[in-house]
Structures are given as C-alpha cells and as structure tokens.
Amino acid sequence: ESNPKITLSMAGYPGLSQGDLEQGIGQFYTSLYSPQEVPSFDMLKDLAVRNECRSRTTVNVWEAYRRLYEAIMEEVTGDHSDYSNVESFLGHDPDQVRTLLSV
C-alpha cells in the first residue's frame, strides 16, 4: 500500500502566487535602477568595511534572485505549474542581474 504523493505548486504558498511574484519582481527591478533604494553605507568611516558591506549586500541580493529564478524556472518546466508567461515578469536571468549589480 502506498500513499499518493501530493505535489503543491509554488504558487499555492502565501506570497508566491503569480500576481505576488510579478509585483515583487517588479519592485526588485525598480530598486535595481533607483540608487536611493539601495542601502547606503556612506556613514561607515572605514572604507574597507564600507566596501565589504556593499559587496556582501549585492552578492546576497544576487544569490536570492538566482535561487528564486531557478525555483520558478524549475516549477515552469515541471509537471505541475500554476505559473504562465514568466518571461513577462522575469525580465533578466541571474547572469544579467549579476551584471546589473556589478557582482
């Protein structure tokens, strides 16, 4: 006797519906092109610390985007996806975002 495997789409989780992702990714892209949206580390006196904070922040942002992008693309190519036309809101692949962030 085996139990049937229940597979939930990512879209079934709170905050991961297609509409939520479209809105969140849109805000992410807006922040990429708006320097005032990026955390400022100018108040840090030590230049090395300031640069390290900027570097770690951009790497962490890129890593989070890469993981989300890969999860969405895996979902879309799988057997059970509630996402459609993801290209309409995922305008850049992770390598392009890395370039935009200058990581």
Side-chain angles (χ1 to χ4, degrees):
E1 222 179 291
S2 68
N3 293 330
K5 183 178 178 184
I6 298 173
T7 305
L8 293 176
S9 168
M10 278 178 46
Y13 291 95
L16 292 176
S17 70
Q18 180 150 343
D20 290 337
L21 284 176
E22 288 174 0
Q23 182 180 15
I25 296 292
Q27 290 171 344
F28 171 74
Y29 287 141
T30 297
S31 72
L32 280 180
Y33 299 110
S34 300
Q36 64 271 18
E37 299 288 331
V38 178
S40 175
F41 298 103
D42 293 337
M43 294 176 61
L44 296 172
K45 303 276 186 220
D46 187 312
L47 181 61
V49 171
R50 186 180 332 150
N51 289 338
E52 181 67 18
C53 288
R54 283 187 181 129
S55 176
R56 285 185 186 191
T57 299
T58 55
V59 167
N60 287 336
V61 167
W62 171 76
E63 180 66 25
Y65 180 84
R66 183 189 64 76
R67 290 193 329 251
L68 180 62
Y69 181 94
E70 288 175 356
I72 293 168
M73 297 310 287
E74 184 177 316
E75 177 89 4
V76 169
T77 59
D79 293 335
H80 183 77
S81 176
D82 291 327
Y83 299 133
S84 62
N85 196 20
V86 295
E87 296 80 16
S88 69
F89 65 92
L90 284 178
H92 300 85
D93 67 35
D95 289 334
Q96 292 168 322
V97 169
R98 181 180 13 205
T99 299
L100 291 170
L101 290 169
S102 301
V103 174

